[in-house]
Amino acid sequence: MTNPHRHNITWTTPSEDANGSMPLGNGDIGLNAWVEPNGDLRFYISKTDSWGDNGRLLKVGCIRLALDPMPALASFVQTLHLESATLIVQYDAGSDEEATLRLWVDANQPIIHLMVDSPRPRTVTAAIGLWRTEPTTLPEIEISDIMLDRSQPNHQHAPTVVEPDTLLTQQPNRIGWVHHNRKSVGPALTAEQQGLSEFERPDPLLNRIFGAVIQAENNSGLMGTRIDDQQLQSPAATSHHFQIPVLTQHPATPEQWLTEIEAILAQSQRTSHVEHRAAHEQWWQTFWTRSWIHVTSPAGDDDATFVSQAYALQRYLQACAGRGAYPIKFNGSIFTVPYRDKPGDADYRRWGGGYWWQNTRLPYFSMCAAGDFDLLQPLFQMYARDLFELWRYRTQTYFGYDGIFFSECVYFWGDVFTESYGWTPFAERDDPLQESGYHKWEWVGGLELIWLMLDYVDHTDDQAFLQDTLLPYAKQILLFFDHYYPTDEAGKLVMHPSQALETWWECTNPMSEVAGLQAVIARLLALPAAALKTEQRDALHTLQQKVPDLPTHEVDGAPMLAPAAAFDDLRNVEHPELYAVFPFRLIAFNRPNLHLGLAALEHRNPQGHFGWRQDDLFMTYLGLAEEARTAVVQRARLQNHDALAGSNPERAMPNQSRFPAFWGPNYDWFPDQCHGGVLATTLQAMLLQWDGRQIYLFPAWPADWDVEFKLHAPYNTVVEGRYVNGELQHLAVNPPERTEDVTVISAEIQS
């Protein structure tokens, strides 16, 4: 068993501002916490469903905690304990004036806990820090913001007004605040604009309420005293316990919200604090024992240790934000902090509140191998369940047949960004699809979601999920491709108009969709006989015969994978030709035509190991151990990088984050979940890959890195091993009969 505390983060000096924050979370509620130079603790509170009335994911708020008297900071120690997701601050440790502060978010309840202990009595005061104090018109908005309209001189179709929070008043022995969406800007507008008004659904923003209350009790049994609406003081004592329940309700009134807060606190009080803490620690112990990767180097190479820590911290960040109501936001998750010259305090994030599938998916590819199946559920819930009927209705409305076409850029309620769809209403159009060419015919996302769901079913054998979610969804995605594209004289789909991701805008038979169709249909047909009805299997066989071959071409006389059978109009820097390698694994180190993938990798341009770039993954699935090692080390060590700035220093946005896994902004924002997601999946795939029932160990592993690991494979299989000095010294496979399906790839085979 690995010890997550080996990757704990310890600082011996306070931080200047929120850029020096450490992350905490319980999967839904997140904190950015730091200690200021004067000794005060501050933390931002976030939540996965705290959507404001403009469809922007807002922070819940901010709290400051002050001790009186404040201990000296001469021997200050601040540690993030990964094993329990707890921040511990020790002031003046070892002296008579010492004090210890502990902060965590309960893994099983929507409550933040804050404890202060010291040998001498102290008062502790919590203060609410609000920045949304009056209606504020944003001077600039991001690309997925509702009112972005590039045809307007200021790029805004109408003002984007952020409404204020409301302090709770007359609360005995506690304080609190709420943000109440008394208006909704977006859902009705996008529905009308995109021809979806007749689809019945509740407004996802109107009367959404989120906020928190603060209450405290000291070890003398005295409750905190409300100084005013923003300050609560716990009377002088040697021990203090603050509880901060955080809640989102939709739809609700403030009175209903407060009633539910009371219920949360009452439920919590039925069990002792000691029991709650033990259950919290047990959740995290279970999480860390699901899987691990710990890399070392006999030569003392600290790259190995650094990559290990980066992997552990990324997995921790995913657990802190991955069990909420909505998928992890690629552009900052729930850990954004204020950025200089950008409006909205910690609410700001580059690209805004919308979801881009190609970015959103990247943290999720590592979750099956990690055994983090619970973290996949919000992704499946939003895309495969919540949006299912809306997108099916949209396809019927636009084209008159059954099926689902998957849009790359959507708000959490499923409509396309206004900037992407365009401001001409659906009723006035000849072409119902979005106007923006960046994703107009990019429909690989539906196939990738099927692929991820198949990974989940293969690992867990969740038959209810297969029948109730995966197969109905897959049917609709595949129906759309079959209906939308004609066939040629050979009976093959002619996929035009189409595009290869955002990169090639004029395509026929793009690799991303062709590889996706081939891979998905083959895996569906490989399901056990009882999983599919005869008519389902027959329909899959019929469509399989229509799917074109993987596109290839020659460059400098070498045959290789191509972005599409025909492609033109280059607009971005992705490598769709290599989607046959990742995510769809049709070309891999163990499969035929490896040379086509290797040649395409060699000729890719540009190259990079940051942000959403997948070069690391392509190398890993092609079995290139040294190249993969170089890539993952570069990725782990890359901070303070902004790909969008280019050579223009005026556009540079250096990330000053102190926490080592707050990568970015890269192409997106920080902490960049695309960057960390690729890192996690790459390190796993260097160690373990699977193909059907076959498990391959060390398919791209450098011989001079030692490793201890525990990872998950299909068919409820867990593989645990220790590799030292180029040899596998320990291997345990559970269930044991799966051992015969394990192949160990030696360094000689790799070379």
Side-chain angles (χ1 to χ4, degrees), residues 403-615:
I404 286 176
F405 72 92
F406 187 106
S407 294
E408 168 71 12
C409 295
V410 297
Y411 302 111
F412 75 88
W413 59 88
D415 297 359
V416 174
F417 301 165
T418 50
E419 170 65 10
S420 296
Y421 191 78
W423 286 92
T424 301
F426 168 81
E428 300 175 16
R429 294 175 177 232
D430 295 325
D431 179 359
L433 293 174
Q434 68 179 54
E435 293 175 358
S436 172
Y438 273 99
H439 317 101
K440 188 176 180 71
W441 296 293
E442 182 187 350
W443 293 321
V444 67
L447 299 168
E448 289 182 301
L449 182 55
I450 298 169
W451 190 255
L452 271 168
M453 291 193 290
L454 283 165
D455 279 354
Y456 168 75
V457 169
D458 280 354
H459 279 73
T460 64
D461 193 31
D462 187 340
Q463 291 298 309
F465 179 87
L466 173 66
Q467 295 298 329
D468 298 342
T469 301
L470 195 163
L471 290 178
Y473 182 84
K475 175 184 177 181
Q476 296 300 319
I477 292 292
L478 297 177
L479 271 176
F480 172 75
F481 282 101
D482 200 12
H483 285 313
Y484 190 78
Y485 289 115
T487 55
D488 60 17
E489 61 278 5
K492 298 290 186 180
L493 295 177
V494 180
M495 300 174 71
H496 182 90
S498 63
Q499 63 190 103
L501 308 177
E502 293 185 16
T503 297
W504 296 99
W505 282 20
E506 295 289 339
C507 289
T508 300
N509 297 350
M511 173 65 82
S512 42
E513 278 78 357
V514 169
L517 284 167
Q518 284 195 18
V520 160
I521 294 171
R523 281 187 77 179
L524 289 170
L525 287 170
L527 290 169
L532 295 174
K533 297 176 182 177
T534 301
E535 58 267 28
Q536 290 175 306
R537 199 171 290 276
D538 290 346
L540 287 169
H541 277 299
T542 299
L543 181 57
Q544 188 179 46
Q545 297 304 310
K546 296 180 181 181
V547 179
D549 295 335
L550 294 183
T552 61
H553 63 162
E554 288 192 3
V555 178
D556 299 330
M560 64 189 67
L561 302 173
F567 55 96
D568 198 6
D569 198 2
L570 180 67
R571 298 295 186 101
N572 207 341
V573 293
E574 300 150 305
H575 299 302
E577 63 273 20
L578 286 160
Y579 269 50
V581 177
F582 180 86
F584 294 120
R585 308 199 293 263
L586 294 174
I587 303 293
F589 78 95
N590 65 309
R591 287 195 162 220
N593 297 317
L594 174 62
H595 66 286
L596 298 176
L598 291 171
L601 180 74
E602 181 180 356
H603 285 81
R604 77 194 187 284
N605 182 42
Q607 304 177 13
H609 307 297
F610 59 90
W612 45 252
R613 303 198 67 87
Q614 298 177 172
D615 296 34

Side-chain angles (χ1 to χ4, degrees), residues 68 90 97 143 150 313 325 355 440 444 448:
D68 186 16
Q90 295 174 293
E97 297 298 314
I143 196 167
R150 295 179 192 272
L313 293 179
Y355 284 94
K440 188 176 180 71
V444 67
E448 289 182 301

